[in-house]
Amino acid sequence: MRLAAPVKASPAKTEQIILFRVSGQLFAVSSASVQEVRSADSMSGAAIEISVPGLRKVRHVVRRGDRSLFIVNGAMHFGLHAAEGALLFVLRKTRTALLIDGIEKMTTMTRLQALPLSFCHEERQWYRGLTALDQTVVPVVKPEGFLSPDELALLDAALLQTDNFAAAALEGADSA
Amino acid sequence: MTVSAELELQAFVLLRLGERRFAVSANQIAELVAPSRVFRFPHRTPKLEGLILRRGRIVPVCDVSEALLGKRLTSRRFYLIALRNYGTQREWIAMPVTGECELINAEMMAAVESDAPHVAGWLSHDGEVIEVLNLDTLTPGPEQAPAEPGARQSAEARP
């Protein structure tokens, strides 16, 4: 007689996350979404100023080969009190480098709850959902939610304009 | 009382906001809970204060006092946990209320066109005429959101 194989309890799926702060507020991001963590100072030398009216959260861009990374001030993005920002998260599969105050810790979440449907404005683009950790609720950010396609188009146009000005200035200097 | 009259009675929960009383259909009410910690995080939806944790669920706190009284409540004693419909989906919401709630049976008169959208009907109780609330129009939801792509994200159960 054959006995039925014992049913194994499937282990709960988990996801590694980084808890970070922006203007004192706690957020989480999937660690798989973070390509690099850099100090803001280390990027400042390579950063070019950029200005787009109505898009104050992006003031700088960093060139990496043929790619441009837009530095998004996390505090301005979330409408929090302006903070200097000490660290940058270069977010994978995006053109965003997110300026944050600091990292709290790395941990694991076992459950991501959808954002309740009562939340019905821009925050639905900002967050993947919410997770409860140590009796605290933490919003889990969506890496692609920091810059919308429209905002990226505006930034690209401003960048092109900046490049054209620089090229024209260089040409003027050469001919003089 | 005749049988037909009895059948028209429905159960309602009476809640107090400041000096006024309102009613909500009892089949929409889950429970009345003591104040607990409200978790806040950045968002842009008006009338949403934050979230409370209840039985492992994350429940948004919707303050309806400003819409109903014209001012925010300064004192609150409980959260009334109710079910709110979002199309075919239903989710819990927590409404801060001032006093204890009461379960009554009453006959509801349907709202008329001139009533505010948040009025589902009217009932008479203890010599008072009380508004029966329509939570689906009173509290925020996707139908009140600005039209934007992806604003109505489907429920996610990851990872």
Side-chain angles (χ1 to χ4, degrees):
Chain A
M1 191 172 87
R2 257 190 206 174
L3 289 175
V7 179
K8 280 184 189 169
S10 61
K13 280 187 187 173
T14 60
E15 187 173 337
Q16 196 81 25
I17 52 171
I18 303 172
L19 297 184
F20 64 96
R21 286 198 185 271
V22 174
S23 277
Q25 174 74 48
L26 196 62
F27 298 91
V29 65
S30 169
S31 53
S33 309
V34 179
Q35 190 178 325
E36 281 177 53
V37 181
R38 302 281 297 264
S39 84
D41 291 344
S42 72
M43 292 283 242
S44 59
I48 305 162
E49 269 194 47
I50 190 168
S51 172
V52 175
L55 199 59
R56 290 175 54 229
K57 66 183 177 184
V58 180
R59 292 269 175 85
H60 294 94
V61 58
V62 177
R63 286 267 165 76
R64 285 192 158 180
D66 56 353
R67 224 171 134 233
S68 308
L69 277 177
F70 298 108
I71 299 177
V72 176
N73 184 308
M76 284 189 177
H77 172 75
F78 291 115
L80 298 168
H81 292 295
E84 272 301 299
L87 285 182
L88 279 168
F89 281 163
V90 177
L91 299 175
R92 211 181 288 278
K93 292 180 187 165
T94 72
R95 296 172 66 195
T96 301
L98 179 66
L99 194 56
I100 63 163
D101 294 356
I103 292 174
E104 190 84 1
K105 65 174 179 181
M106 281 187 79
T107 188
T108 301
M109 71 171 172
T110 51
R111 188 175 175 224
L112 179 67
Q113 186 173 316
L115 197 64
L117 291 165
S118 300
F119 291 92
C120 53
H121 284 66
E122 280 164 88
E123 60 273 9
R124 298 206 76 80
Q125 306 304 313
W126 298 350
Y127 305 123
R128 284 173 59 200
L130 305 164
T131 192
L133 294 168
D134 305 327
Q135 292 300 303
T136 297
V137 178
V138 183
V140 182
V141 300
K142 207 187 266 186
E144 63 277 23
F146 289 98
L147 290 172
S148 68
D150 288 350
E151 288 172 332
L152 281 168
L154 284 172
L155 287 164
D156 279 333
L159 196 57
L160 188 66
Q161 204 174 24
T162 307
D163 287 348
N164 289 343
F165 281 139
L170 198 65
E171 217 169 88
D174 282 348
S175 59
Chain B
M1 187 180 278
T2 64
V3 174
S4 61
E6 258 178 63
L7 290 175
E8 287 167 10
L9 291 179
Q10 296 172 54
F12 294 93
V13 171
L14 294 186
L15 57 106
R16 186 173 285 282
L17 288 173
E19 296 304 309
R20 285 187 64 186
R21 287 203 295 181
F22 298 90
V24 177
S25 175
N27 59 24
Q28 281 184 275
I29 301 298
E31 58 181 332
L32 183 67
V33 299
S36 54
R37 184 177 166 194
V38 177
F39 299 97
R40 293 181 169 86
F41 64 89
H43 67 85
R44 295 273 162 82
T45 304
K47 295 193 268 183
L48 272 189
E49 276 192 17
L51 307 154
I52 57 170
L53 272 176
R54 187 71 194 155
R55 298 177 197 267
R57 292 196 206 196
I58 294 170
V59 183
V61 178
C62 305
D63 191 351
V64 296
S65 61
E66 210 164 346
L68 296 175
L69 308 174
K71 61 180 180 186
R72 298 197 70 174
L73 282 180
T74 50
S75 65
R76 40 181 77 162
R77 292 172 60 190
F78 299 101
Y79 289 114
L80 190 62
I81 312 277
L83 278 168
R84 202 271 202 206
N85 298 305
Y86 301 89
T88 55
Q89 282 178 265
R90 297 180 99 190
E91 283 187 7
W92 285 3
I93 55 165
M95 287 188 298
V97 295
T98 319
E100 285 186 32
C101 297
E102 190 185 338
L103 181 66
I104 62 156
N105 282 307
E107 195 177 338
M108 185 178 86
M109 286 182 292
V112 293
E113 224 171 83
S114 56
D115 288 329
H118 71 260
V119 179
W122 300 88
L123 56 87
S124 178
H125 180 72
D126 270 353
E128 210 180 326
V129 177
I130 297 168
E131 277 178 19
V132 180
L133 301 177
N134 177 354
L135 299 182
D136 301 353
T137 55
L138 186 61
T139 59
E143 64 281 1
Q144 295 154 29
E148 56 188 348
R152 178 76 192 274
Q153 162 187 309
S154 61
E156 188 179 73
R158 287 186 285 166

